[in-house]
Amino acid sequence: MATSQDRLVEALRAALIENERLRRDAQASSSAEPIAIVGMSCRLPGGVSTPEDLWRMVAEGAEGIGPFPDDRGWDFETLFGDGAGSTYIREAGFVADASGFDAAFFGISPREALAMDPQQRLFLEASWEAFDYAGINQDSVRGTEVGVFAGAMHSGYAGDSAAVPPDSEGFLGIGTAGSVISGRVAYALGLEGPAITVDTACSSSLVALHLAVRSLRAGECSLALAGGVTVLATPNMLIESAKQRALAPDGRSKAFAAAADGTGTAEGVGVLLLERLSDALRHNRRVLAVVRGSAVNQDGASNGLTAPNGPAQERVIRRALQDAGLTVADVDVVEAHGTGTPLGDPIEAQAILATYGQNRSHQVWLGSLKSNIGHAQAAAGVAGVIKMVQALRAGLMPKTLHVDEPTPAVDWSSGSVRLLTEARPWPERGRPRRAAVSSFGVSGTNAHVILEQAPDIGEDRTDPEPVSRIVALPLSARSKAALGAQAERLAAHLADHPDLAPVDVGYTLAVTRPAMTHRAVVVAADLEEARAGLTALAAAAEGRDTPRNRDTVVRGRAGQRDKTVFVFPGQGGQWAGMALDLLDTEPAFRERFAECEQALAPHIGFSLTDAIADESRQTEVATVQPALWAIMVSLAHLWRSVGVVPDAVVGHSQGEVAAAVVAGALSLEDGARIAVLRSRALADLPPGGGMVSVRSSAEEVTARIAAFGGRLSVAALNGPTSVVVAGEAEACDRLMTEYAAEGVRVRRIAAEQAGHCAAVEPLRERLLADLASIAPKPPEIPFYSTVTGGRPGDLDAAYWYANMRQTVRFEPVIRDLRRRGHQVFVEVSPHPLLTTGVLETLEGTSPVVTGTLRRGENGRRAFLTSLARLYADGVAVDWAPVFPGARPVRLPAYAFQHERYWLNSAGRSAGPAEPEPARQKSDELTGPAALAALPAEERHAALLDLVRAEAAAALGHADAAAVDPDGAFFETGFTSLTAVELRNRLAEAIGIELPAMLIFDHPTPELLARHLGELVGQQR
């Protein structure tokens, strides 16, 4: 009989066996899991800069063949001659602006950019665009296992060493290394999966795709970039191919045609973003197509090193089908290698006929993108994949160009294969549409990929909340010019796609794009208003003025913004209907407001929402103050719902009650009790009191009211020249008359009772009794008291009497908060009352200050505008809750700002010239004594000019304006080498020995200039 121990051992053994079985099943499943294509990007001949551009070209039967580029320093006189170094073709497929690159975007100096192979530059930008296309925020993948698989061939860039300027030579080794094509993408984006560059010649990009698929299935990476790039940096390949008569005289590939007479040469880049299908569906990605299977093999010892091998091509096709678990009859279209050569095309056609042409009830169709754009070499395969992904989605098989008739060198009757000499609808066959793509390298490496239509998962979407369609469209860029270009692109896109939902556009911009330094937000109710705001933003970036609504466009520049303060004002910002529309549009506000109503209910005998809507009740203290309390507490909750969380709170007069609740120092119930009983007591004061706001200093006002013999008191210190006086109404009138006669700005505050003065002293015992039961708690968020001027003790009944009696010390508390490092001040109220006082108090310290709502304005629009102001200035916000029910949509990719970087073969650099150090204050100001003699502000300005000029020279910029005073040195292209060079330049300029770690310790020009100013000051 088995013991309990035996049964336990047996159970453990069974569990281990089952775990092993599950592991094997999971391994087998993952090794064959389909791979989703979730993003794409490309730049190809004919001005193609997006997958949509490519699809328009092939769907319309257009081509991208054109004249040779005139921006690469090629010697056309020799190239188009009859002797050595010439070619007989005059057209091919070239990428527009292959010499252009946004080096600053990637933190690369002009000196380094000039030494970079344009293939590195092109693949880097295209990789970024693939994430944009997929709707995946690049910041979200930084530090994760994302792979990079690049196919590339040697471009010959910088082959003539005499063409390299001396200051770029140190970057040449890395800049022209093929391995760095993938490595630089991984470095720039912070990707930690495999990074591999593959060179199998013309099959490189499909081999890279095959390796990426295998890596994803093996679990080496969670996402993978895969693609290829070719740029003809020199005409050498054209010259060499011309010697072999391998090029079509008219530059056009006539794939599988009787008229085939050679290859049409081309270049380009294409990048795919891949993810395991199960992960893509789990992440709610937009799946463009699926890679079902792939295979790679070699020709081996064929009839020539560069000659194609038909049996090897057949084998790679069968292996890919086996990997996909499909038969030949399951594939509808083959996007062939199809270069248009009389030798290669017949061999490939026979291999397709021997595989896909057999054992099927319907024809397989055959085409080649090379008839449209030429042979893009290392990018040819991925370009074919992008074409077929678009075809799968459109349900159209595009035509192959330049086919007079199918080549007679092939027995087309031997199988069910037909050329796509006309575009054809893709027939439905009761299964997903499928296509195959082939690439064969001149080195003998063959690759074949099977693509499948994306699964139909339906529309899993909840509609956005219907009441308010007002949305925010946040944009950001690395530069002001790029921000304007982004706005211009987006405006055009919205005009072309009027069916887009604004909530989807806003969500895509806010959530799927990283937040950069230069920022703007367009607040709009519909696409028409959005386009108008975007147009105004683009015009402003170009220095053109256009009429625009103040609350439509918010612009700013993000800085380091630490420590947020919520500011709660006293009475005065109320208005009929304030914030009530937020009950319909903002769930977070609605939820908290309902809780506040419930907490107030035992103490008030009226409907809170009715009272807020009633214009006649906006002067009733006992009505207004509880209403303001509920609204302020609810607005604070709304701010927190979008990620704006206070690091401290401060209240002004009755605003302290809301501040204490938000800080966690009072329960909601105690806060409601204080708000009601405090306001009721104040309302019971006899009339005859008054309050006056004076634009003068506290010292002057205090001295002035001394003459009134105690009838007036300083009630609040709101700013350096903003003081509130309270007391007897007649005395207030007299004070106003005096100030008005002197031209001092003064106004009467709408209040029948005078708070924060001796008039409230009769209420002391009543308040102490009414509030005796409250139970204050230690605050969860620091609460700064405007009663005590600092951190208070218990917020008990005695404190709340003092809150109503004592002077409101708002200005000194704000100063103290700024000294403690708080930079962001959010006034949480239905209308801003204190923002001006905060700005005046903190003048010269660059605070970020905003309100929340504004009198008479739509609540959602006002709140989004205030949120936009914080975001534009660099405050971290969570945009997702702003877009309920939204989904990502396809929007234009980042608007890279290109400058030209190209090494001419004649030895002349075509990139930015090295500037002379721009010491604009002349030589007499470049010694420590001369600098020390300057006033502090002038000295700092001179040193900042010097630092920017020398930094520009070290990086290779032509103008010191290219160096941002607040930009981090190592984000603008500095390396350890150029860091030392800058140190040396500055040491020479100011005549002071400086440490090698200078810009490591002082990481921006502004900070470095201040440090140098301190050193110069010590030389006196």
Side-chain angles (χ1 to χ4, degrees), residues 532-533 535-537 539 544-550 552-553:
T535 301
L537 178 58
R544 295 184 287 112
D545 290 328
T546 60
R548 63 179 178 84
N549 186 288
R550 169 178 56 84
T552 297
V553 182

Side-chain angles (χ1 to χ4, degrees), residues 230-581:
T230 291
V231 175
L232 299 175
T234 74
N236 292 345
M237 193 277 291
L238 300 171
I239 296 168
E240 184 67 22
S241 298
K243 290 179 182 177
Q244 302 170 8
R245 307 303 296 181
L247 304 178
D250 62 358
R252 289 157 176 81
S253 293
K254 306 164 186 69
F256 305 107
D261 55 358
T263 295
T265 302
E267 60 185 11
V269 64
V271 177
L272 308 172
L273 184 58
L274 310 172
E275 187 172 29
R276 288 181 289 273
L277 180 60
S278 59
D279 290 341
L281 297 176
R282 180 165 52 85
H283 293 140
N284 295 316
R285 308 276 197 227
R286 181 178 57 139
V287 177
L288 307 173
V290 171
V291 179
R292 276 294 301 268
S294 64
V296 171
N297 75 357
Q298 236 287 336
D299 286 347
S302 60
N303 63 348
L305 174 62
T306 61
N309 184 327
Q313 293 178 14
E314 293 179 35
R315 289 194 298 273
V316 79
I317 289 171
R318 292 194 173 96
R319 181 63 65 85
L321 287 166
Q322 180 183 4
D323 183 55
L326 300 171
T327 68
V328 292
D330 294 322
V331 174
D332 307 310
V333 185
V334 176
E335 169 64 24
H337 188 59
T339 59
T341 62
L343 172 65
D345 282 6
I347 292 173
E348 182 178 8
Q350 293 291 2
I352 293 169
L353 283 159
T355 51
Y356 287 114
Q358 308 302 311
N359 302 316
R360 60 189 305 128
S361 60
H362 56 277
Q363 295 173 340
V364 66
W365 294 95
L366 183 63
S368 175
L369 177 62
K370 293 179 182 66
S371 69
N372 302 91
I373 65 169
H375 186 358
Q377 303 170 80
V382 70
V385 169
I386 294 172
K387 168 193 168 182
M388 295 317 298
V389 168
Q390 297 290 64
L392 285 166
R393 301 178 69 205
L396 179 70
M397 300 180 289
K399 70 181 290 186
T400 292
L401 310 183
H402 313 308
V403 178
D404 53 344
E405 60 177 322
T407 174
V410 173
D411 179 7
W412 296 100
S413 66
S414 64
S416 298
V417 178
R418 295 293 180 269
L419 275 176
L420 280 163
T421 54
E422 296 295 336
R424 293 179 176 274
W426 202 315
E428 295 289 344
R429 302 195 183 279
R431 58 161 174 78
R433 295 188 282 266
R434 296 191 184 96
V437 183
S438 289
S439 276
F440 308 131
V442 70
S443 64
T445 298
N446 308 306
H448 194 72
V449 172
I450 312 287
L451 303 175
E452 183 174 277
Q453 182 182 3
D456 183 6
I457 57 175
E459 288 289 332
D460 181 15
R461 169 182 186 158
T462 7
D463 285 330
E465 298 211 350
V467 176
S468 176
R469 297 292 182 181
I470 297 173
V471 298
L473 309 183
L475 294 87
S476 71
R478 296 270 199 260
S479 67
K480 181 180 177 181
L483 185 64
Q486 287 283 97
E488 186 174 14
R489 278 190 181 186
L490 185 56
H493 185 81
L494 297 185
D496 292 340
H497 299 83
D499 55 332
L500 284 173
V503 68
D504 292 339
V505 176
Y507 176 85
T508 302
L509 293 169
V511 177
T512 74
R513 303 289 173 94
M516 303 178 197
T517 303
H518 293 265
R519 301 182 183 182
V521 181
V522 175
V523 180
D526 51 39
L527 288 185
E528 182 179 356
E529 187 179 9
R531 289 196 302 272
L534 291 166
T535 301
L537 178 58
E542 296 175 359
R544 295 184 287 112
D545 290 328
T546 60
R548 63 179 178 84
N549 186 288
R550 169 178 56 84
D551 291 331
T552 297
V553 182
V554 176
R555 293 191 297 267
R557 177 168 179 162
Q560 186 67 35
R561 307 300 186 186
D562 295 325
K563 293 192 175 182
T564 296
V565 180
F566 279 5
V567 179
F568 299 87
Q571 185 177 338
Q574 69 272 14
W575 48 280
M578 54 183 173
L580 290 184
D581 53 353

Side-chain angles (χ1 to χ4, degrees), residues 155-225:
S155 73
Y157 185 72
D160 179 5
S161 60
V164 183
D167 63 354
S168 290
E169 288 178 348
F171 299 105
L172 200 59
I174 294 297
T176 57
S179 61
V180 179
I181 293 176
S182 56
R184 194 180 286 276
V185 171
Y187 172 77
L189 274 65
L191 311 179
E192 297 180 0
I196 300 170
T197 305
V198 177
D199 182 359
T200 59
C202 313
S203 60
S204 295
S205 61
L206 276 201
V207 173
L209 173 56
H210 171 79
L211 294 175
V213 167
R214 292 300 187 269
S215 183
L216 283 163
R217 288 175 174 172
E220 293 175 338
C221 50
S222 55
L223 289 163
L225 292 162

Side-chain angles (χ1 to χ4, degrees), residues 17 28 30 38 55 172 203 274 335 476 746 882 951 961:
I17 293 171
S30 65
V38 297
W55 180 245
L172 200 59
S203 60
L274 310 172
E335 169 64 24
S476 71
V746 60
V882 173

